[in-house]
Amino acid sequence: MLDQPASPLTFNRLLLTGAAGGLGRELRARLKRYCTALRLSDIADLGPAGAGEECVQLDLADAAGVLQLMQGVDAVVHMGGISTEQPWAPILAANIVGIYNLYEAARKNGVKRVIFASSNHVMGFYRQDQVVDADSPPRPDGLYGLSKAFGEDVARLYWDRYGIETVVVRIGSSFPEPRDRRMLATWLSYDDLERLVVAGLTAPVVGWSVVYGISDNRTAWYDNTKARHIGYRAQDSSDVHRDAVEARQPKIDLADPAAIYQGGAFVRTGPFE
Ligand code: NAI
Ligand code: 15L
């Protein structure tokens, strides 16, 4: 958690979806400082509500439930959904139906801004010797990446048609430490995740913007120049972990598509079911 919040308390009520997940659990503790009430939701158990928390266990595919969930909410940090390559049915429910339900509920409740946890897997079939930016055409590496690309388009439609702003965050790999050589390029520290989410929530004007969620890593396949208006400045870097990662994984098999494409092992998951 950051010693100094990047911004003073700004919101009355924030909604954090996916609050029982890896990043949701991190953000649950961190986002409290930026709002009076933090509403938390997940299909999984969230445990007891702490001070200033409101817990709602709910499936994102439940349109009526999501409509109710969004009542009285100022802004949404949308982390909920399927987060890995999986069969179509759960992806369809959580990431396709779920994202539509979320934006419809935002529209009906007058919610003005969403931070959408998209993924580097929207761009997974670019090669690791290419640098992509906010305007590069999507090249999803599987059903999961495809569903996130759909979510980005839903967000864009609701900006164009209804003026709901979204910061699309194409998160790289957000874990306590980079786990392998690929993550030296894709890693996003938890402190930088907080910086990025708070920057997205508090930037005065974002419209529909795309930013890649990475720390200040020496190697990176993502160019965030076109997202400078968001004001995110990474302060961590995977470089401090580089020696340890390279010692653990001294060799790369360059015949392996996972070593060639940005999506890593996601590009060779399959067949689709
Ligand atoms: P996670 O899988 O740990 O958390 C996702 C949460 O969503 C889970 O708690 C799960 O119960 C909930 N969920 C799944 N289906 C649901 C449904 N139908 N209704 C309601 N809730 C449902 O994933 P993690 O790592 O916390 O990621 C958070 C978000 O960030 C996800 O959307 C993921 O796609 C995205 N992301 C994460 C990355 C990472 O490195 N951690 C990288 C790129 C994207
Ligand atoms: C993702 O989108 C996943 O949610 C996460 O679990 C990681 O696999 C990450 O991408 C990654 O590419 O490292």
Side-chain angles (χ1 to χ4, degrees):
M1 198 170 314
L2 304 182
D3 292 339
Q4 296 289 325
S7 147
L9 181 141
T10 312
F11 298 94
N12 178 28
R13 180 178 286 102
L14 284 179
L15 168 63
L16 172 64
T17 70
L23 301 189
R25 286 194 304 272
E26 274 301 315
L27 290 172
R28 179 174 183 167
R30 293 163 182 264
L31 290 180
K32 276 183 199 172
R33 296 185 293 169
Y34 303 98
C35 56
T36 310
L38 183 60
R39 186 169 291 168
L40 305 159
S41 83
D42 204 290
I43 198 168
D45 181 33
L46 289 156
E53 291 182 345
E54 304 165 348
C55 293
V56 184
Q57 193 170 356
L58 156 122
D59 186 341
L60 288 163
D62 169 4
V66 175
L67 185 60
Q68 212 176 347
L69 178 71
M70 205 72 83
Q71 277 174 13
V73 166
D74 294 334
V76 182
V77 179
H78 181 49
M79 293 282 144
I82 299 300
S83 64
T84 53
E85 189 64 19
Q86 290 192 25
W88 177 240
I91 288 178
L92 174 64
N95 294 10
I96 303 287
V97 177
I99 195 83
Y100 170 73
N101 289 344
L102 188 100
Y103 276 90
E104 266 300 275
R107 178 181 73 78
K108 288 176 179 163
N109 283 292
V111 177
K112 288 291 173 214
R113 190 173 293 187
V114 179
I115 309 302
F116 170 44
S118 185
S119 172
N120 70 85
H121 296 288
V122 167
M123 312 300 280
F125 264 119
Y126 283 93
R127 293 167 52 93
Q128 295 187 9
D129 54 6
Q130 293 178 291
V131 174
V132 295
D133 71 10
D135 293 330
S136 306
R139 294 179 76 168
D141 57 29
L143 298 179
Y144 165 64
L146 189 63
S147 74
K148 291 290 187 181
F150 175 81
E152 294 185 0
D153 277 353
V154 171
R156 189 157 209 174
L157 172 64
Y158 276 73
W159 162 242
D160 287 339
R161 187 176 276 221
Y162 303 115
I164 299 173
E165 293 191 296
T166 293
V167 178
V168 167
V169 184
R170 290 184 183 152
I171 302 173
S173 307
S174 194
F175 298 102
E177 291 181 4
R179 294 172 173 170
D180 55 24
R181 284 202 186 223
R182 172 178 168 274
M183 287 193 191
L184 293 174
T186 59
W187 188 60
L188 173 68
S189 74
Y190 289 153
D191 281 353
D192 280 343
L193 170 71
E194 178 182 342
R195 290 184 184 101
L196 179 47
V197 168
V198 172
L201 285 169
T202 54
V205 180
V206 299
W208 179 88
S209 296
V210 173
V211 59
Y212 290 86
I214 50 167
S215 287
D216 185 18
N217 308 325
R218 194 188 335 154
T219 49
W221 312 313
Y222 312 115
D223 177 353
N224 270 332
T225 310
K226 291 172 181 162
R228 290 196 64 173
H229 56 285
I230 292 166
Y232 165 61
R233 197 160 281 181
Q235 290 184 28
D236 296 322
S237 168
S238 64
D239 286 352
V240 294
H241 303 286
R242 182 173 291 273
D243 289 348
V245 169
E246 289 180 353
R248 265 202 320 270
Q249 192 189 357
K251 284 196 176 142
I252 301 174
D253 175 7
L254 289 175
D256 182 354
I260 297 171
Y261 294 102
Q262 296 183 2
F266 280 58
V267 305
R268 54 173 156 75
T269 317
F272 299 136
E273 293 167 21

